[in-house]
């Protein structure tokens, strides 16, 4: 598996990232971690809220039982959303909180749950309209200084939000994790990928398979399966991997065999015309 | 009343600004000025065109009769629109004019009408498609040099227009006065507030009560009136004041008692969840 | 005919540019070139693909027969689109290609077809989603170094695409050639012209007459024909020429007499109010 820096000054991640969004009590997380690592997927994407604030702890159990694993993996997590949850009784409406107090508390919770003493990459989960960039800058600075977080980024930010927050920070935002796939092309056209290229920060792509919508869709999209000896999943990921912004797809599967399948996408180099044919089918139109 | 710099190098204004849009011959402008000042509202927002080119003169009468007032207040005015008006017979179509000739003439008219020898803040009223940034830069420079205008800004500008004009100026645009309220949320989502935060220029908010549309709307929006011991107007202003961009609401009332009511909004610190509940009701949806 | 630099470090072009899009085998290209030059139109806009990859060669015939012409003209061409064509059998789907290999090959083809040893200005024809800015920067650098291309620009790029590519180049993009006319006003409102003003690169305007749609439209638009002693075409071009971004309209006619007619637009200085009246009629609304 190719490894690559998200940013010149950012962490080195496996080009395909395993997302722990659905790695809850019903999933075999121990096996998923093993299989991922064997397949070369060394980077794991979390959020404080995944699994109703529970998935980080389940993942942490694996690390606690296998203390040697941590040094060979990169842990990403997110904060800034407060969900209605039995775990947070003071929250009575879903909202965002990017205050210093909440970010610091959320990181401490994540560290404890994950059973680690540092997070490789912390993302602000959503653009909080009440985000105070000076406060966030101070908070990130503290977390960097005390070694709890090595690198910082954002998720679901617009171009102006990204550029605004960056302008307050003394170090780079190393990514913007956004939804992008053959069934969600907005980031290619609304400037999201352009802006990241300009800041030399690679995108992370969530829902890179379009939440399964693609698989049930137009079979024409998969006409090249045989020539590439590839599955729909692999073609979908290879299509993202070819983009010059250097995307890191975050796969969300809970099935070990699908992890293995996905990891192999890294070896597919789509031909330029095949890439444009897939774009044409996905977007429903020829390029202008 | 809190006072605050619009920009590090900009004027210090009262956090709530009195708008003279409707302070015409039918309003008791003398009383409105007194009441505003007593309430700590020391900044007054004009435009050459308000009241069919008449309101600045009416305001000026107050200053002429009370020469001591000027030094304790900040005067903002705008130029760049030419209205169909009996006062401007050469204009036969509503249009914009940001030529050197027109800006200089408009400022001289405003100074004479207001009975003052300087304007604290001059805004280009609307983005003129024929705006020549080199000409505007030269004109602003002249006005700054001869002391007629202390600071400059714009109104109703898009992000690209703001950044473009700024790039031609040797000093900062200290604000963009835009429409924003609980019933007009665009500026929160289209990058307007992000861009101002990036340039460290505070927004001024016109029509901060949504032109009254809010007051007749969903009563759910005002469910917190009792707990804050506040009126609808005060909650609406407090909602804007909490935004980290540091907005300066420009109230437009002609009723002295409403000026007093509005000024008290400054003391309300909305709880984060209450703020998000108001956003949810105003936007009709939960945050994603 | 006024001549003007597209950018301080860009080529000096005639303010009106002759577009060779339809200068194919059925047009009298020799006469069109002569008439253009006599009218002061010294800049010619090509693309590799015009006339199914044939128009550059037809234009080149004129130069080969009249070797003295080249030094008095500026040649612009474009690359980056691959059309379905009998001339390019390996292409089976319309797509974009901004790889080093394709740009270098396309420039060599254009030089050979046009019968010249340098191109004054090369544009990337469309924003290629697979454009790799490092590769393009390296390729432009090579072409500049070996003297095959003097200046570089883009066409149909969005603001974020322009700014992104510019950030990778050690020299300025000198233009963005975009569609703009009284019947296609988007560039005035979507930031395209603002961004070019910020980068001090003048726009080139393709389809400046709206592909003829304007001519058959509302006669009110042409109410000033008599007072300016001008045709519809001339008023349309004069309207674009007045914009402070310094547009260079690219006319597309194949009729010599229309070239002469268009060239005269340069002498019309529209009154500001007339300009706004035309905007009002074209946009269907008053300025706000």
């Amino acid at each position: 598996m190719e490894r690559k820096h998200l940013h010149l000054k950012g962490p080195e991640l496996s080009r395909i990232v395993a997302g722990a969004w659905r790695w809850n009590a019903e999933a075999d997380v121990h096996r998923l971690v093993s299989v991922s690592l064997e397949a070369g997927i060394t980077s794991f994407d979390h959020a404080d809220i995944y699994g109703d604030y529970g998935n980080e702890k389940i993942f942490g159990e694996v690390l606690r039982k296998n203390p040697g694993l941590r040094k060979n993996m990169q842990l990403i997590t997110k904060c800034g959303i407060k969900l209605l949850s039995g775990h947070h009784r003071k929250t009575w409406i879903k909202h965002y909180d990017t205050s210093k107090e909440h970010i610091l508390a959320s990181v401490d919770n994540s560290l404890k749950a994950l059973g680690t003493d540092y997070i490789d990459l912390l993302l602000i989960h959503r653009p909080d309209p009440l985000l105070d960039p000076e406060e966030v800058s101070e908070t990130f600075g503290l977390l960097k200084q005390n070694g709890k977080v090595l690198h910082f980024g954002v998720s679901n930010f617009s171009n102006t939000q990204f550029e605004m927050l960056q302008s307050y920070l003394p170090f780079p935002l190393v990514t913007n994790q956004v939804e992008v796939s053959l069934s969600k092309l907005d980031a290619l056209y609304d400037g999201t990928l352009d802006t990241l290229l300009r800041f030399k920060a690679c995108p992370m792509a969530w829902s890179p398979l379009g939440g399964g919508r693609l698989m049930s869709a137009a079979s024409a999209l998969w006409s090249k399966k045989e020539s590439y000896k590839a599955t729909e999943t692999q073609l979908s990921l290879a299509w993202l991997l070819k983009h010059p912004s250097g995307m890191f797809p975050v796969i969300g599967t809970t099935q070990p065999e699908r992890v293995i399948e996905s990891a192999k996408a890294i070896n597919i180099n789509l031909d330029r015309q095949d890439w444009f044919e897939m774009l044409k089918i996905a977007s429903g139109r020829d390029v202008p």
Side-chain angles (χ1 to χ4, degrees), chain A:
Chain A
M1 168 77 61
E2 181 194 4
R3 287 164 60 85
K4 200 175 97 134
H5 283 274
L6 259 179
H7 181 285
L8 197 65
K9 299 185 179 180
E12 193 181 57
L13 304 184
S14 57
R15 192 63 194 279
I16 290 180
V17 173
W21 174 41
R22 297 183 294 181
W23 291 14
N24 54 29
E26 287 162 35
D28 185 348
V29 177
H30 185 277
R31 177 117 198 277
L32 283 162
V33 172
S34 304
V35 164
S36 297
L37 291 173
E38 278 164 35
I41 298 178
T42 60
S43 304
F44 297 87
D45 183 72
H46 293 270
D48 56 350
I49 59 169
Y50 287 168
D52 189 22
Y53 296 93
N55 287 2
E56 287 180 323
K57 194 172 176 188
I58 291 166
F59 189 96
E61 291 301 325
V62 177
L63 293 195
R64 276 181 280 274
K65 287 180 190 161
N66 306 270
L69 293 180
R70 177 65 183 99
K71 67 176 188 298
N72 298 316
M73 60 170 59
Q74 302 81 44
L75 296 182
I76 301 146
T77 194
K78 316 187 191 76
C79 65
I81 301 178
K82 282 187 173 170
L83 292 183
L84 287 176
S85 163
H87 298 280
H88 286 261
R89 295 180 182 276
K90 287 181 182 166
T91 299
W92 52 267
I93 185 171
K94 182 182 175 185
H95 67 289
Y96 301 152
D97 189 346
T98 53
S99 66
K100 179 178 174 183
E101 184 186 358
H102 178 63
I103 292 176
L104 294 181
S106 182
V107 167
D108 282 340
N109 281 341
S110 291
L111 290 173
K112 189 177 164 193
L114 289 165
T116 184
D117 54 2
Y118 70 99
I119 288 160
D120 292 272
L121 173 57
L122 178 73
L123 310 182
I124 301 289
H125 206 151
R126 290 273 176 187
D128 172 14
L130 291 184
L131 183 148
D132 178 335
E134 291 186 356
E135 188 173 348
V136 169
S137 178
E138 184 197 334
T139 309
F140 281 3
L142 274 175
L143 289 168
K144 202 176 176 76
Q145 203 172 8
N146 64 24
K148 290 181 178 175
V149 178
L150 306 188
H151 302 283
F152 301 88
V154 295
S155 187
N156 304 300
F157 269 44
S158 73
N159 302 320
T160 53
Q161 290 159 347
F162 186 93
E163 192 162 3
M164 184 277 281
L165 181 55
Q166 179 61 79
S167 77
Y168 281 81
L169 298 176
F171 41 77
L173 291 170
V174 301
T175 194
N176 187 7
Q177 184 176 127
V178 295
E179 185 181 4
V180 55
S181 69
L182 276 161
S183 68
K184 177 76 172 173
L185 297 165
D186 307 41
L188 275 84
Y189 299 117
D190 66 11
T192 298
L193 301 186
D194 304 328
T195 298
L196 288 169
L197 267 166
R198 179 154 66 88
F199 282 92
K200 297 185 168 60
C202 294
M204 296 177 75
W206 63 264
S207 205
L209 306 179
R213 291 190 299 278
L214 283 168
M215 303 311 144
S216 55
S219 58
L221 198 52
W222 315 119
S223 67
K224 298 296 188 301
K225 277 174 64 176
E226 289 183 18
S227 60
Y228 286 99
K229 299 188 202 312
T231 64
E232 289 92 336
T233 290
Q234 288 164 347
L235 286 178
S236 299
L237 295 173
W239 191 86
L240 294 175
L241 290 166
K242 190 173 177 73
H243 193 276
S245 61
M247 279 186 236
F248 287 71
V250 181
I251 59 173
T253 186
T254 56
Q255 301 172 42
E257 65 276 15
R258 299 262 292 149
V259 172
I260 297 166
E261 177 191 352
S262 299
K264 291 179 181 157
I266 206 82
N267 300 314
I268 301 170
N269 182 14
L270 283 178
D271 172 76
R272 188 179 295 265
Q273 294 194 66
D274 291 335
W275 192 93
F276 274 93
E277 190 192 40
M278 290 173 78
L279 176 64
K280 177 179 179 172
I281 295 167
S283 66
R285 57 192 171 89
D286 245 317
V287 292

